[in-house]
Amino acid sequence: MEQYFSTIKHTALFKNIEEQEFTEMLGCLGAKVRTYKKGSCILRTGMITTSLGIVLKGKAMIVQEDFWGNRNLLSVLCKGDSFAESYACTQGVPLNVDVNAESDCVVLFLNVERILKICPENCKHHQRVVRNLLANLAEKNLAFSEKVLDLGQRTTREKILSYLSKETKKRNSQEFDIPFTRQQLADYLSVDRSGLSTELGKMKKEGMIDYHKNHFCMKEKEV
């Protein structure tokens, strides 16, 4: 686990906590490291988890499928990103999403009950972890609200513009890379892939945007 200490130290959960402190805490929090091959399932719909996960290496996807197999891509997880916090905090609630390894992955699992349990010594670093967990949950709630705004748009073009506009503001740049392939972007916006590609082509022809693979450039309107 020591080889991943640098990654763990810079995660949202261990923000403002010294390395010596979090190394001591890992045992207390029931830390377990698991490895997953590309394409394997990390967590599956219907499972009950008492632990949150942190991606230490690789890339994973949080997806939801309906009865007919239609995929809704909820989030992309990269190194340092956490997942399943809400399910671990609400004990006994089964997952309604799958977490799949998009590449070979290494994941750290931490027992949430041990995070939330009042420390007998009332240690400051434990209190910071609790505050960091709450802040992380709040940030994810805001991100989910932003996605709801994207999906609430009526047309494919409006969904694309809502998403790209949000990314422009987030990156403070008119040029940026998105973490999705075309199929993944279609799944994220809940639109048909061919319809997405057609609309992107039209927007490029109209001079609204330019792109190459997952690199996008937003064009200002000509006066």
Side-chain angles (χ1 to χ4, degrees):
M1 188 184 298
E2 289 82 1
Q3 60 183 307
Y4 300 111
F5 278 178
S6 177
T7 299
I8 298 171
K9 181 179 179 180
H10 290 92
T11 61
L13 190 65
F14 291 99
K15 183 179 179 181
N16 297 324
I17 295 178
E18 298 299 324
E19 183 171 322
Q20 181 180 353
E21 293 177 328
F22 78 71
T23 52
E24 293 174 355
M25 293 184 68
L26 290 176
C28 177
L29 300 179
K32 296 180 181 179
V33 174
R34 299 283 185 267
T35 59
Y36 298 89
K37 292 293 186 181
K38 178 181 178 179
S40 61
C41 185
I42 299 172
L43 293 176
R44 191 182 304 279
T45 298
M47 290 178 60
I48 293 175
T49 182
T50 57
S51 299
L52 63 83
I54 298 176
V55 178
L56 300 180
K57 181 180 179 181
K59 187 177 180 180
M61 299 282 188
I62 301 179
V63 298
Q64 189 175 52
E65 290 192 8
D66 64 18
F67 179 79
W68 296 274
N70 299 309
R71 282 166 48 95
N72 181 13
L73 175 55
L74 301 180
S75 182
V76 177
L77 302 170
C78 299
K79 185 172 74 171
D81 290 338
S82 59
F83 58 92
E85 302 97 317
S86 297
Y87 291 102
C89 287
T90 51
Q91 298 180 3
V93 176
L95 278 77
N96 67 344
V97 297
D98 294 331
V99 183
N100 299 323
E102 183 70 7
S103 65
D104 291 349
C105 286
V106 178
V107 177
L108 171 69
F109 287 100
L110 299 172
N111 188 298
V112 168
E113 184 178 359
R114 295 190 183 186
I115 295 176
L116 299 178
K117 187 177 180 180
I118 298 176
C119 181
E121 299 179 3
N122 199 29
C123 52
K124 292 182 179 179
H125 52 268
H126 192 112
Q127 294 175 19
R128 284 197 292 268
V129 170
V130 174
R131 288 198 297 269
N132 289 343
L133 176 60
L134 291 174
N136 191 37
L137 287 169
E139 183 178 338
K140 290 196 170 187
N141 186 54
L142 290 174
F144 179 76
S145 297
E146 290 180 351
K147 181 179 180 180
V148 170
L149 291 176
D150 294 338
L151 298 183
Q153 305 301 314
R154 291 173 295 180
T155 67
T156 297
R157 174 172 292 207
E158 288 173 343
K159 290 181 179 182
I160 295 170
L161 288 175
S162 177
Y163 172 73
L164 293 179
S165 295
K166 178 184 65 181
E167 291 299 305
T168 300
K169 294 176 182 178
K170 184 188 300 182
R171 316 294 180 87
N172 195 28
S173 174
Q174 292 178 226
E175 289 195 47
F176 49 86
D177 294 332
I178 65 172
F180 303 126
T181 65
R182 286 292 179 272
Q183 183 60 60
Q184 290 167 352
L185 180 58
D187 291 340
Y188 182 81
L189 296 175
S190 294
V191 298
D192 179 72
R193 178 179 175 176
S194 61
L196 172 72
S197 297
T198 298
E199 202 59 53
L200 285 173
K202 289 180 180 178
M203 293 166 65
K204 184 175 183 178
K205 187 175 181 180
E206 294 170 15
M208 298 177 66
I209 62 172
D210 195 11
Y211 59 86
H212 177 68
K213 294 185 178 179
N214 68 332
H215 183 79
F216 282 79
C217 178
M218 304 290 282
K219 302 289 188 178
E220 295 182 3
K221 291 183 179 179
E222 296 183 2
V223 181

